[in-house]
Amino acid sequence: MFRFLPGKYTDCAEWLSSARARLFVQYERRVLDQLLPQLTGYRCVQIGQWGHDRSLLGSTSTLCQWQLGYGKTRTADVRFDGRHLPLATASVDALILTHALEQVAEPHALLRECARVLNARGQVVILAFNPLSLWALRQSLPMRRTPAFRPCSAPPSASRLYDWLRLLEFEPERLIRYGLGFPFFGGYHRVGEDRRSARTIAWCAQAYGLAARRQVAPRTPIRKALPGARKPAAVGLAHRASHRVRCRR
């Protein structure tokens, strides 16, 4: 439904400068005000600037915040190529992706990088457009008077993003779908935290916000016995058997 812009990343400054996009960012800020206070820890990193200023990071409950940008942006703390995050493994407590999956060429690779830099109990908040919405269909129509949103790659739907996160050892906790047009008309709708409702496809909403927490399963090494070594359990059973024979005699 979208017309894609080839490249490693894309700049949406032209679309964000429109009046309708500014109104959308205002409603999106209300959604973030519900999701960001749940982010706790020491380090929080926002990937992508979108239409929000640095005050967005102040809504989190983390101690230190940084902003990563791509392209020729000058306001971000660090710039990267849209694929490889310049962060150490398991060094971040919370990540915020403000429509970053649509602005990079390989969104799944960016999610793998997010899983790498987050610690075992890290949290992530993702904002993405719904590719199945009526608004996404209008972006590909010709003879538009307003600037169209042209992503670098197709944004994933809510159900597909849920499956991607589960493969990367994330457990989605909260889903909010929102938008300006039908059916919300400038509002948002909360989706329950149970697993069934979290997989609900927001087929008619303009965008959605998803909060997830990393659930890394502990990996206990299995030690193999050396060849010819005697197992302690077998020795104990043999000792008990000989003791019973002696008692019978």
Side-chain angles (χ1 to χ4, degrees):
M1 293 184 182
F2 286 105
R3 290 181 299 171
F4 304 119
L5 197 64
K8 294 183 179 180
Y9 42 79
T10 182
D11 187 10
C12 305
E14 183 180 1
W15 181 79
L16 288 172
S17 62
S18 61
R20 191 170 181 84
R22 291 194 296 267
L23 182 61
F24 172 78
V25 172
Q26 293 179 8
Y27 281 110
E28 192 170 62
R29 186 57 185 265
R30 298 181 182 179
V31 177
L32 291 173
D33 289 340
Q34 297 189 21
L35 298 177
L36 295 187
Q38 301 177 2
L39 300 181
T40 58
Y42 186 76
R43 301 180 181 89
C44 178
V45 177
Q46 177 185 350
I47 301 176
Q49 294 178 290
W50 195 236
H52 306 283
D53 52 8
R54 294 189 63 89
S55 62
L56 177 67
L57 293 171
S59 303
T60 64
S61 301
T62 56
L63 297 179
C64 301
Q65 301 90 19
W66 293 276
Q67 192 178 65
L68 268 67
Y70 29 78
K72 299 180 180 180
T73 177
R74 297 181 180 180
T75 58
D77 298 323
V78 181
R79 289 185 297 174
F80 73 110
D81 58 357
R83 182 177 179 181
H84 303 92
L85 296 178
L87 301 171
T89 302
S91 61
V92 181
D93 300 292
L95 286 175
I96 306 173
L97 278 68
T98 52
H99 298 277
L101 299 180
E102 299 99 311
Q103 299 184 67
V104 296
E106 300 180 12
H108 199 275
L110 180 59
L111 283 179
R112 287 198 300 267
E113 280 289 285
C114 293
R116 180 185 64 83
V117 301
L118 279 175
N119 55 31
R121 292 288 296 172
Q123 299 169 276
V124 61
V125 171
I126 302 175
L127 300 181
F129 285 111
N130 177 26
L132 308 177
S133 63
L134 299 177
W135 175 84
L137 178 62
R138 290 183 55 190
Q139 302 309 303
S140 60
L141 297 178
M143 303 300 292
R144 286 181 53 87
R145 297 181 181 180
T146 57
F149 176 74
R150 298 186 63 184
C152 189
S153 60
S157 61
S159 60
R160 176 171 294 183
L161 181 59
Y162 183 89
D163 294 335
W164 286 1
L165 293 175
R166 290 298 302 272
L167 290 176
L168 296 174
E169 297 182 317
F170 283 93
E171 185 64 29
E173 295 180 342
R174 195 173 185 185
L175 175 65
I176 299 178
R177 47 189 180 183
Y178 59 95
L180 294 180
F182 177 83
F184 303 120
F185 302 101
Y188 56 87
H189 175 69
R190 299 179 184 177
V191 180
E193 298 180 359
D194 59 315
R195 186 171 301 179
R196 179 178 301 177
S197 58
R199 293 180 61 90
T200 302
I201 300 177
W203 62 273
C204 53
Q206 182 179 1
Y208 62 91
L210 181 62
R213 183 183 295 271
R214 195 147 187 245
Q215 302 284 352
V216 179
R219 296 176 174 85
T220 304
I222 301 176
R223 299 179 179 178
K224 295 183 179 180
L226 297 176
R230 206 171 183 183
K231 296 183 179 180
V235 174
L237 293 176
H239 177 73
R240 292 180 183 178
S242 60
H243 179 70
R244 291 177 181 177
V245 172
R246 293 176 182 176
C247 292
R248 291 178 181 178
R249 292 180 180 177

